[in-house]
Amino acid sequence: MNVQAVDAEDIGWADFEKVLIVAGTITRVEAFPEARKPAWKVWADFGPYGERKTSAQIAALYTPESLLGRQIVGVINFPEKQIGPFRSQFLLTGFHTEQGVVITAIERPVPNGTRLA
């Protein structure tokens, strides 16, 4: 696999603390036929932050059944983004690979809404 190095600007701890990266559990997955690239509509429960939805280009590696009940890592303080007829309310984190996007895994269960430390 070819991974390109990217020059990245250093950030301070205060910058990192602005990004709300939290655990959530996937509660619902639907097809998103209007998406330009294969994607699912995904809803996740973020505990005290409520249920939020997103469009995720993870259909190459995941079926709806394999996602339901799975704990994920999301960024929940980006502004909502219009994706075709759908409004995305969080970013589902993952890693691009040649086979498709691999979602960020949580090693053992944590309460929904737990913030990344």
Side-chain angles (χ1 to χ4, degrees), residues 3-7:
V3 177
Q4 271 187 322
V6 176
D7 288 330

Side-chain angles (χ1 to χ4, degrees), residues 53-65:
K53 62 185 179 176
T54 193
S55 166
Q57 295 176 358
I58 56 174
L61 296 178
Y62 302 95
T63 64
E65 298 78 24

Side-chain angles (χ1 to χ4, degrees), residues 16-80:
F16 176 72
E17 286 182 316
K18 291 178 187 176
V19 184
L20 194 50
I21 306 170
V22 299
T25 299
I26 295 177
T27 58
R28 183 169 140 202
V29 181
E30 292 181 3
F32 191 9
E34 303 90 351
R36 282 186 241 155
K37 295 181 181 177
W40 299 119
K41 294 177 185 177
V42 176
W43 284 258
D45 175 5
F46 289 101
Y49 302 104
E51 185 176 70
R52 297 180 185 222
K53 62 185 179 176
T54 193
S55 166
Q57 295 176 358
I58 56 174
L61 296 178
Y62 302 95
T63 64
E65 298 78 24
S66 70
L67 292 167
L68 280 175
R70 183 177 201 139
Q71 212 164 29
I72 50 91
V73 177
V75 177
I76 63 170
N77 66 333
F78 283 133
E80 286 191 14

Side-chain angles (χ1 to χ4, degrees), residues 86-107:
F86 192 72
R87 291 206 51 89
S88 183
Q89 300 172 320
F90 77 95
L91 172 70
L92 176 60
T93 63
F95 299 92
H96 288 275
T97 71
E98 291 175 9
Q99 295 77 31
V101 175
V102 175
I103 61 175
T104 306
I106 295 178
E107 188 260 333

